[in-house]
Protein backbone atom coordinates (compact mmCIF):
# COMPACT_ATOMS: atom_id res chain seq x y z
CA UNK A 1 0.00 0.00 0.00
CA UNK A 2 1.28 3.45 -0.94
CA UNK A 3 -0.05 6.97 -0.99
CA UNK A 4 -1.53 6.28 -4.44
CA UNK A 5 -2.70 2.67 -4.09
CA UNK A 6 -5.26 1.60 -1.49
CA UNK A 7 -5.52 -2.10 -0.66
CA UNK A 8 -8.57 -3.14 1.35
CA UNK A 9 -9.69 -6.62 2.34
CA UNK A 10 -13.49 -6.66 2.28
CA UNK A 11 -16.08 -9.12 3.50
CA UNK A 12 -16.51 -12.16 1.32
CA UNK A 13 -12.83 -12.74 0.71
CA UNK A 14 -12.40 -9.85 -1.74
CA UNK A 15 -9.26 -7.71 -1.90
CA UNK A 16 -10.00 -4.30 -3.45
CA UNK A 17 -7.01 -2.56 -5.05
CA UNK A 18 -7.86 1.06 -5.82
CA UNK A 19 -5.58 3.36 -7.80
CA UNK A 20 -5.83 6.75 -6.13
CA UNK A 21 -3.83 9.36 -8.01
CA UNK A 22 -6.66 11.33 -9.59
CA UNK A 23 -4.57 14.42 -10.39
CA UNK A 24 -2.57 12.26 -12.86
CA UNK A 25 -5.51 10.07 -13.94
CA UNK A 26 -3.86 7.22 -12.04
CA UNK A 27 -0.69 7.20 -14.17
CA UNK A 28 1.47 4.48 -12.65
CA UNK A 29 4.78 5.05 -10.88
CA UNK A 30 7.26 2.42 -9.79
CA UNK A 31 5.94 2.58 -6.24
CA UNK A 32 2.39 2.01 -7.46
CA UNK A 33 3.48 -1.03 -9.49
CA UNK A 34 5.24 -2.42 -6.42
CA UNK A 35 2.12 -1.93 -4.30
CA UNK A 36 -0.08 -3.71 -6.85
CA UNK A 37 2.39 -6.56 -7.20
CA UNK A 38 2.48 -6.93 -3.42
CA UNK A 39 -1.31 -7.03 -3.30
CA UNK A 40 -1.37 -9.89 -5.82
CA UNK A 41 1.45 -11.82 -4.17
CA UNK A 42 -0.30 -11.46 -0.83
CA UNK A 43 -3.60 -12.65 -2.29
CA UNK A 44 -2.00 -15.82 -3.63
CA UNK A 45 -0.41 -16.47 -0.24
CA UNK A 46 -3.60 -15.84 1.75
CA UNK A 47 -6.29 -18.37 2.56
CA UNK A 48 -8.65 -15.49 3.37
CA UNK A 49 -8.47 -13.72 -0.02
CA UNK A 50 -10.41 -15.45 -2.78
CA UNK A 51 -10.52 -12.73 -5.44
CA UNK A 52 -8.94 -9.37 -6.29
CA UNK A 53 -10.71 -6.34 -7.77
CA UNK A 54 -8.80 -3.57 -9.57
CA UNK A 55 -10.47 -0.16 -9.66
CA UNK A 56 -9.55 3.49 -10.08
CA UNK A 57 -10.81 6.65 -8.51
CA UNK A 58 -14.02 7.67 -10.34
CA UNK A 59 -13.30 9.12 -13.76
CA UNK A 60 -10.07 7.24 -14.46
CA UNK A 61 -8.92 3.64 -14.33
CA UNK A 62 -5.30 4.34 -15.35
CA UNK A 63 -3.58 6.61 -17.85
CA UNK A 64 -0.78 4.04 -18.14
CA UNK A 65 2.84 4.64 -17.23
CA UNK A 66 3.89 7.92 -15.69
CA UNK A 67 6.40 8.81 -18.42
CA UNK A 68 8.39 11.20 -16.23
CA UNK A 69 8.86 8.46 -13.62
CA UNK A 70 9.46 5.82 -16.29
CA UNK A 71 12.33 7.62 -18.06
CA UNK A 72 14.30 7.86 -14.81
CA UNK A 73 14.66 4.07 -14.92
CA UNK A 74 15.98 3.71 -18.47
CA UNK A 75 19.59 3.16 -17.38
CA UNK A 76 18.65 0.39 -14.93
CA UNK A 77 18.26 -3.28 -15.88
CA UNK A 78 14.75 -3.62 -17.32
CA UNK A 79 14.35 -7.05 -15.75
CA UNK A 80 14.26 -5.31 -12.37
CA UNK A 81 11.76 -2.62 -13.43
CA UNK A 82 8.71 -2.40 -11.14
CA UNK A 83 6.43 -2.44 -14.20
CA UNK A 84 7.85 -5.73 -15.49
CA UNK A 85 7.86 -7.31 -12.04
CA UNK A 86 4.18 -6.43 -11.71
CA UNK A 87 3.37 -7.79 -15.18
CA UNK A 88 5.14 -11.07 -14.40
CA UNK A 89 3.10 -11.40 -11.22
CA UNK A 90 -0.10 -10.45 -13.06
CA UNK A 91 0.47 -13.25 -15.57
CA UNK A 92 1.06 -15.93 -12.94
CA UNK A 93 -1.42 -14.91 -10.23
CA UNK A 94 -3.65 -17.84 -9.27
CA UNK A 95 -6.27 -15.75 -7.47
CA UNK A 96 -9.16 -14.69 -9.73
CA UNK A 97 -9.01 -11.02 -10.75
CA UNK A 98 -11.80 -8.63 -11.66
CA UNK A 99 -11.48 -5.15 -13.20
CA UNK A 100 -13.85 -2.21 -12.76
CA UNK A 101 -12.96 0.27 -15.52
CA UNK A 102 -14.24 3.82 -15.34
CA UNK A 103 -12.82 6.52 -17.62
CA UNK A 104 -9.45 6.24 -19.33
CA UNK A 105 -7.65 2.90 -19.54
CA UNK A 106 -4.46 3.61 -21.47
CA UNK A 107 -1.52 1.26 -22.12
CA UNK A 108 -1.21 -1.10 -19.18
CA UNK A 109 -4.59 0.24 -18.07
CA UNK A 110 -5.96 -1.77 -21.00
CA UNK A 111 -3.53 -4.69 -21.11
CA UNK A 112 -4.00 -5.40 -17.39
CA UNK A 113 -7.64 -6.25 -18.08
CA UNK A 114 -6.64 -9.04 -20.51
CA UNK A 115 -5.42 -11.00 -17.47
CA UNK A 116 -8.61 -10.46 -15.49
CA UNK A 117 -11.25 -13.15 -15.25
CA UNK A 118 -14.13 -10.68 -15.31
CA UNK A 119 -14.15 -7.09 -16.60
CA UNK A 120 -16.86 -4.48 -16.07
CA UNK A 121 -16.88 -0.95 -17.45
CA UNK A 122 -18.83 2.27 -17.13
CA UNK A 123 -20.18 4.06 -20.21
CA UNK A 124 -17.29 6.53 -19.76
CA UNK A 125 -14.60 3.86 -20.18
CA UNK A 126 -12.10 4.54 -22.96
CA UNK A 127 -9.46 1.97 -23.90
CA UNK A 128 -6.26 2.77 -25.82
CA UNK A 129 -2.81 1.18 -26.30
CA UNK A 130 -0.41 3.83 -27.72
CA UNK A 131 2.77 1.74 -27.40
CA UNK A 132 3.92 2.08 -31.00
CA UNK A 133 3.18 5.82 -31.01
CA UNK A 134 5.67 6.08 -28.14
CA UNK A 135 8.29 4.10 -30.06
CA UNK A 136 7.66 0.97 -28.00
CA UNK A 137 6.02 -2.44 -28.45
CA UNK A 138 2.99 -3.98 -26.69
CA UNK A 139 3.50 -5.46 -23.23
CA UNK A 140 1.82 -7.69 -20.62
CA UNK A 141 1.47 -10.50 -23.21
CA UNK A 142 -1.05 -8.36 -25.11
CA UNK A 143 0.51 -9.31 -28.46
CA UNK A 144 -0.38 -12.92 -27.60
CA UNK A 145 -3.66 -12.50 -25.69
CA UNK A 146 -5.44 -9.82 -27.70
CA UNK A 147 -5.35 -11.54 -31.14
CA UNK A 148 -6.74 -14.68 -29.53
CA UNK A 149 -9.56 -12.67 -28.02
CA UNK A 150 -10.57 -10.38 -30.89
CA UNK A 151 -8.78 -11.76 -33.97
CA UNK A 152 -5.53 -10.67 -35.60
CA UNK A 153 -6.95 -7.85 -37.73
CA UNK A 154 -8.79 -6.13 -34.89
CA UNK A 155 -5.82 -6.64 -32.56
CA UNK A 156 -3.58 -5.00 -35.18
CA UNK A 157 -5.91 -2.00 -35.31
CA UNK A 158 -5.91 -1.70 -31.52
CA UNK A 159 -2.21 -2.32 -30.88
CA UNK A 160 -0.59 -0.67 -33.92
CA UNK A 161 -2.97 2.15 -34.82
CA UNK A 162 -3.76 2.89 -31.16
CA UNK A 163 -7.45 3.14 -31.95
CA UNK A 164 -9.42 4.31 -28.93
CA UNK A 165 -12.61 2.36 -28.26
CA UNK A 166 -15.36 2.71 -25.73
CA UNK A 167 -17.18 0.42 -23.36
CA UNK A 168 -19.88 -0.72 -25.76
CA UNK A 169 -17.34 -1.71 -28.42
CA UNK A 170 -15.24 -3.44 -25.77
CA UNK A 171 -18.30 -5.44 -24.76
CA UNK A 172 -19.04 -6.32 -28.39
CA UNK A 173 -15.43 -7.49 -28.84
CA UNK A 174 -15.62 -9.71 -25.76
CA UNK A 175 -13.22 -7.59 -23.73
CA UNK A 176 -15.86 -6.50 -21.21
CA UNK A 177 -18.55 -8.61 -19.53
CA UNK A 178 -21.04 -5.79 -19.02
CA UNK A 179 -21.43 -2.01 -19.08
CA UNK A 180 -23.09 -0.32 -16.13
CA UNK A 181 -23.45 3.10 -14.51
CA UNK A 182 -20.35 4.46 -12.80
CA UNK A 183 -22.06 4.61 -9.40
CA UNK A 184 -22.77 0.86 -9.53
CA UNK A 185 -19.52 -0.26 -11.13
CA UNK A 186 -17.22 -1.07 -8.23
CA UNK A 187 -20.06 -2.45 -6.11
CA UNK A 188 -21.00 -4.86 -8.90
CA UNK A 189 -17.38 -5.89 -9.52
CA UNK A 190 -16.92 -6.58 -5.81
CA UNK A 191 -20.15 -8.61 -5.69
CA UNK A 192 -19.04 -10.74 -8.65
CA UNK A 193 -15.61 -11.19 -7.07
CA UNK A 194 -17.28 -12.36 -3.87
CA UNK A 195 -19.19 -14.97 -5.88
CA UNK A 196 -15.88 -16.26 -7.24
CA UNK A 197 -14.29 -16.22 -3.79
CA UNK A 198 -17.17 -18.30 -2.39
CA UNK A 199 -16.55 -21.18 -4.79
CA UNK A 200 -14.53 -24.25 -3.70
CA UNK A 201 -10.95 -22.98 -3.93
CA UNK A 202 -9.32 -26.03 -5.50
CA UNK A 203 -12.05 -26.49 -8.11
CA UNK A 204 -12.01 -22.77 -8.90
CA UNK A 205 -8.28 -22.70 -9.54
CA UNK A 206 -8.38 -25.89 -11.61
CA UNK A 207 -11.27 -24.62 -13.76
CA UNK A 208 -9.65 -21.20 -14.11
CA UNK A 209 -6.41 -22.79 -15.37
CA UNK A 210 -8.35 -24.77 -17.99
CA UNK A 211 -10.23 -21.70 -19.19
CA UNK A 212 -7.09 -19.56 -19.42
CA UNK A 213 -5.18 -22.14 -21.46
CA UNK A 214 -1.44 -22.29 -22.05
CA UNK A 215 0.14 -20.53 -19.06
CA UNK A 216 3.67 -21.16 -20.33
CA UNK A 217 2.85 -19.41 -23.61
CA UNK A 218 1.52 -16.36 -21.78
CA UNK A 219 4.62 -16.10 -19.61
CA UNK A 220 6.85 -16.60 -22.65
CA UNK A 221 5.03 -13.73 -24.40
CA UNK A 222 5.64 -11.51 -21.37
CA UNK A 223 9.37 -12.19 -21.61
CA UNK A 224 9.70 -11.82 -25.39
CA UNK A 225 7.78 -8.54 -25.27
CA UNK A 226 9.93 -7.35 -22.37
CA UNK A 227 13.12 -7.97 -24.32
CA UNK A 228 11.78 -6.06 -27.33
CA UNK A 229 10.41 -3.31 -25.08
CA UNK A 230 13.79 -2.90 -23.39
CA UNK A 231 15.57 -2.73 -26.74
CA UNK A 232 13.15 -0.13 -28.07
CA UNK A 233 13.32 1.92 -24.87
CA UNK A 234 17.02 2.56 -25.40
CA UNK A 235 16.78 3.72 -29.02
CA UNK A 236 17.22 7.36 -29.96
CA UNK A 237 13.88 7.22 -31.78
CA UNK A 238 12.02 6.37 -28.59
CA UNK A 239 14.05 8.72 -26.42
CA UNK A 240 13.24 11.59 -28.80
CA UNK A 241 9.53 10.77 -28.57
CA UNK A 242 9.74 10.74 -24.77
CA UNK A 243 11.57 14.08 -24.70
CA UNK A 244 8.94 15.65 -26.94
CA UNK A 245 6.16 14.20 -24.78
CA UNK A 246 7.68 15.57 -21.58
CA UNK A 247 8.31 18.99 -23.12
CA UNK A 248 4.64 19.21 -24.12
CA UNK A 249 3.60 18.16 -20.63
CA UNK A 250 5.67 20.81 -18.84
CA UNK A 251 4.08 24.17 -17.95
CA UNK A 252 5.35 27.06 -20.06
CA UNK A 253 7.11 28.54 -17.02
CA UNK A 254 9.02 25.33 -16.24
Amino acid sequence: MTEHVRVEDLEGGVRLVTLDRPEKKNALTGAMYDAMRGALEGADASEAVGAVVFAGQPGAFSAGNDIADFVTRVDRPFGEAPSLRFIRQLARTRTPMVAAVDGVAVGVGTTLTLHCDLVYASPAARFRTPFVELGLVPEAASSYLLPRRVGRLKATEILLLSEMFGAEQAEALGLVNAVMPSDMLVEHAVAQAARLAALPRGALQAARALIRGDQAAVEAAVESEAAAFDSRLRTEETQAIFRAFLNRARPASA
Side-chain angles (χ1 to χ4, degrees):
M1 186 166 174
T2 76
E3 176 187 1
H4 296 129
V5 177
R6 289 187 281 111
V7 180
E8 306 166 82
D9 286 344
L10 310 178
E11 291 184 5
V14 176
R15 173 163 290 183
L16 176 60
V17 180
T18 305
L19 305 180
D20 189 8
R21 197 188 181 203
E23 72 281 5
K24 293 290 187 180
K25 295 185 178 179
N26 296 326
L28 296 168
T29 63
M32 293 170 73
Y33 277 120
D34 284 341
M36 292 193 295
R37 175 175 55 82
L40 292 180
E41 287 178 342
D44 273 357
S46 172
E47 294 186 4
V49 177
V52 175
V53 174
F54 287 104
Q57 280 283 60
F61 185 63
S62 176
N65 280 310
D66 183 311
I67 299 297
D69 179 81
F70 198 70
V71 297
T72 65
R73 304 172 187 276
V74 172
D75 293 333
R76 307 177 197 179
F78 189 63
E80 300 172 11
S83 56
L84 180 55
R85 295 176 70 196
F86 166 70
I87 286 168
R88 284 171 171 157
Q89 179 60 47
L90 184 67
R92 64 175 175 251
T93 292
R94 299 185 307 279
T95 305
M97 296 176 286
V98 180
V101 182
D102 185 25
V104 295
V106 177
V108 71
T110 290
T111 60
L112 179 159
T113 68
L114 297 174
H115 295 269
C116 291
D117 301 276
L118 299 170
V119 181
Y120 301 97
S122 78
R126 295 292 181 271
F127 301 86
R128 189 165 180 262
T129 55
F131 300 112
V132 178
E133 283 185 9
L134 290 170
L136 299 168
V137 297
E139 39 83 299
S142 57
S143 64
Y144 176 82
L145 293 171
L146 190 60
R148 283 157 180 77
R149 189 81 62 85
V150 304
R152 182 178 63 83
L153 294 180
K154 195 64 183 178
T156 297
E157 183 178 85
I158 292 170
L159 292 174
L160 299 191
L161 296 182
S162 306
E163 294 283 356
M164 180 177 286
F165 55 99
E168 289 186 2
Q169 186 176 358
E171 184 179 20
L173 289 170
L175 297 172
V176 163
N177 290 87
V179 180
M180 58 192 54
S182 296
D183 60 355
M184 297 172 55
L185 181 64
V186 174
E187 180 182 356
H188 181 77
V190 168
Q192 295 296 85
R195 291 180 64 189
L196 291 173
L199 294 169
R201 188 69 55 89
L204 174 64
Q205 291 189 351
R208 182 178 183 267
L210 290 169
I211 292 167
R212 293 169 74 85
D214 193 342
Q215 177 68 21
V218 173
E219 294 191 31
V222 167
E223 297 306 322
S224 61
E225 288 175 351
F229 195 100
D230 185 35
S231 177
R232 290 296 315 158
L233 193 58
R234 300 172 193 282
T235 65
E236 175 54 30
E237 179 181 62
T238 300
Q239 289 302 303
I241 292 170
F242 278 14
R243 287 193 297 270
F245 179 91
L246 292 172
N247 286 335
R248 288 197 303 272
R250 288 193 187 99
S253 59

